[in-house]
Amino acid sequence: MTAATLSPSFEKLRSEVINRVMPGLRHRMLGKLQPIALLSQVLSKKLSNGSVDQDYVQTQVEEIKLNSRLLTTATQNLFSWIALDNAIKIPANELLDECIDLLKMECHTHHLIISNHVSSTQLLPALETRVLICAGIILLIDIDGTGKELDIQFSDGGIQFKWNAACNSSNSSNNEMLRNWDWIKDISPMCQLEHIDSGIRFNFQH
């Protein structure tokens, strides 16, 4: 899917999702940047004092190089979330772990307990999977109530959400698209969404 083929509904949904996951993405980048700054400051101070040997310098340089590579990966991941022409595919288990990790603080503060059982390494379209899976989780986060539980499974090439009765409230703190499930119809040609008993199923094209 490219910018030319994004539907207005998908782009609106994508914007809402990015606004919600951006704090998590920013935290990941800063978490990789801070060790580089700290290691550089310590090394600079020791070099200025003349209290360092060659082995120590080499060890610190290797640590800085390692953290620089981690920062590069985090930066590339951030841009892959923003890019409209993102055609890459990522294993299902990695995509689910990533989406849940980015939203876990909101899940905790808004009483949504997620049980993620997705272990499949089947490749899924990263752009659509990230947006739609995060959208479903955000919708359940924003529903009023406590004791909300979400179970996530992977079967027959699709991702299945099943939730408990606490997630059935029609009251939501969200006033945008994610206040209800009305957006799921024809949201993307790369994924067919269907209601199931106490849940929803995402059937992605592979």
Side-chain angles (χ1 to χ4, degrees):
M1 183 180 287
T2 66
T5 58
L6 286 173
S7 69
S9 295
F10 185 88
E11 178 54 25
K12 183 178 179 181
L13 186 69
R14 176 178 167 274
S15 296
E16 189 172 343
V17 166
I18 288 177
N19 285 337
R20 293 289 285 269
V21 301
M22 189 55 67
L25 290 169
R26 183 170 59 248
H27 177 75
R28 281 185 172 185
M29 286 192 64
L30 292 176
K32 302 298 187 295
L33 181 60
Q34 289 170 345
I36 297 173
L38 179 60
L39 289 167
S40 300
Q41 290 172 0
V42 172
L43 180 57
S44 177
K45 184 175 181 179
K46 286 186 175 291
L47 287 172
S48 297
N49 294 336
S51 59
V52 62
D53 59 29
Q54 184 64 34
D55 288 341
Y56 179 84
V57 172
Q58 185 61 39
T59 298
Q60 294 297 94
V61 169
E62 290 301 322
E63 284 292 323
I64 292 172
K65 287 167 61 177
L66 171 61
N67 282 279
S68 296
R69 289 194 291 270
L70 293 175
L71 177 61
T72 298
T73 300
T75 303
Q76 291 173 335
N77 186 57
L78 171 62
F79 285 124
S80 74
W81 270 85
I82 298 173
L84 290 175
D85 59 349
N86 184 4
I88 66 171
K89 292 188 176 183
I90 297 176
N93 59 336
E94 293 183 19
L95 287 168
L96 265 294
D97 287 344
E98 178 186 42
C99 291
I100 294 169
D101 184 63
L102 289 172
L103 294 167
K104 64 182 179 182
M105 184 55 67
E106 287 201 63
C107 290
H108 175 72
T109 56
H110 291 271
H111 310 287
L112 176 64
I113 299 173
I114 298 179
S115 299
N116 177 24
H117 305 286
V118 177
S119 59
S120 172
T121 57
Q122 183 167 316
L123 296 177
L124 298 178
L127 172 61
E128 293 79 6
T129 305
R130 282 167 166 165
V131 170
L132 298 176
I133 293 300
C134 283
I137 295 173
I138 291 168
L139 189 154
L140 296 173
I141 288 173
D142 290 348
I143 287 175
D144 294 345
T146 59
K148 296 178 292 184
E149 297 179 8
L150 170 63
D151 186 85
I152 306 177
Q153 303 274 355
F154 187 93
S155 64
D156 298 325
I159 296 171
Q160 182 172 291
F161 281 15
K162 295 204 75 174
W163 50 75
N164 66 350
C167 295
N168 291 330
S169 172
S170 59
N171 297 322
S172 173
S173 61
N174 196 313
N175 294 318
E176 304 296 331
M177 285 184 72
L178 294 177
R179 64 186 179 276
N180 54 46
W181 293 100
D182 290 350
W183 52 271
I184 72 168
K185 182 175 176 58
D186 300 325
I187 190 66
S188 168
M190 298 298 293
C191 181
Q192 179 185 10
L193 285 81
E194 58 178 317
H195 286 289
I196 58 175
D197 185 33
S198 297
I200 197 165
R201 181 177 171 82
F202 304 79
N203 298 307
F204 292 97
Q205 291 187 15
H206 310 301

